[in-house]
Amino acid sequence: MNDPTRLLSVTEFLQERPDLPEAGQWAELEGGRVVLLQPPDLDHGNTLLNLSKAIAAWTHSPLAGNTYACFHLGLILGRDPDTIRFPAVTFFSGGRRFAESDREATETVPILVVELATSAERRQAMPQRVADYLAWGVAEVWVIDPRARTLVQHSRSGRPIARSDRDEVRDVALLPGFHLAVADLFVEPEWWLGRPRRPGQLPGRGPSAP
């Protein structure tokens, strides 16, 4: 990956990804070129953990049917040159349940993508990422911002719907029976409770972003 003129395929990128900084955890491929994303802030893992708990509870409900979620699965949005992105969560429906779960990357278009806006760079790039997912065929994209304490639902069929931490997500056509109080996404983990807040840190926000 030392040659800046070299365009990688998805296969080459996935093979060489472990050699990148932080084992390529925050690396993507854009038009054949490696992009190193700014590591997310400390709210990223906490928000994802809280979301995963809600997803796990819903997955065991009979209302979920054959719809399921994958975490940090590579989505191959383009070929020649290749583009692959790794959103926090993707939902699939149809076919064999959990068929995508054991893959590192897929060209199957999910029904729903969840992105976390957990760094300045990610917030700046989010409008383009959302537009690219929707143009690829994803029915809906959710953007969760722990700093703003919001969840915004984007779709191809209407205006974005912004939900604050006073709202709930329910009656989602793509996820029958799924229910989520937005505030629950930002609940501090137990190991943070009782710790003194840093200057400028708001209550209920966890550690301040760097």
Side-chain angles (χ1 to χ4, degrees):
M1 293 192 186
N2 293 327
D3 183 357
T5 65
R6 178 187 172 203
L7 297 183
L8 299 180
S9 68
V10 166
T11 300
E12 292 170 327
F13 169 75
L14 293 176
Q15 289 174 342
E16 300 181 26
R17 190 182 180 209
D19 297 326
L20 291 169
E22 298 191 61
Q25 184 178 9
W26 311 118
E28 296 183 338
L29 196 66
E30 190 74 36
R33 300 188 186 281
V34 176
V35 176
L36 298 178
L37 302 176
Q38 177 184 356
D41 62 30
L42 295 176
D43 287 323
H44 185 101
N46 181 56
T47 302
L48 185 56
L49 175 61
N50 290 332
L51 176 60
S52 68
K53 291 177 181 177
I55 291 173
W58 168 79
T59 299
H60 291 91
S61 164
L63 294 175
N66 67 345
T67 302
Y68 62 94
C70 296
F71 294 84
H72 296 120
L73 175 67
L75 300 181
I76 305 171
L77 274 69
R79 290 285 195 181
D80 300 320
D82 292 3
T83 292
I84 182 170
R85 292 181 181 158
F86 295 85
V89 186
T90 48
F91 287 86
F92 295 89
S93 186
R96 182 174 58 86
R97 200 180 194 200
F98 303 116
E100 304 292 336
S101 299
D102 294 329
R103 298 182 181 179
E104 193 172 5
T106 184
E107 291 184 273
T108 302
V109 180
I111 60 171
L112 172 64
V113 167
V114 181
E115 283 270 14
L116 302 187
T118 46
S119 72
E121 180 185 65
R122 291 166 192 269
R123 291 183 183 91
Q124 184 177 6
M126 201 58 70
Q128 186 60 57
R129 293 175 74 90
V130 170
D132 289 347
Y133 290 133
L134 296 178
W136 188 45
V138 177
E140 196 163 315
V141 181
W142 295 1
V143 177
I144 299 171
D145 188 334
R147 178 173 293 181
R149 298 176 68 89
T150 58
L151 183 156
V152 182
Q153 297 171 257
H154 302 264
S155 70
R156 290 178 291 164
S157 58
R159 289 186 174 184
I161 301 173
R163 302 186 187 278
S164 73
D165 56 6
R166 297 182 297 275
D167 299 323
E168 296 183 342
V169 177
R170 61 167 66 243
D171 300 324
V172 180
L174 296 173
L175 307 179
F178 183 77
H179 170 255
L180 173 69
V182 175
D184 288 348
L185 291 169
F186 314 120
V187 173
E188 294 180 353
E190 291 184 3
W191 59 273
W192 271 104
L193 298 179
R195 292 180 61 117
R197 296 198 303 272
R198 301 179 195 172
Q201 181 179 326
L202 298 178
R205 288 288 298 276
S208 296

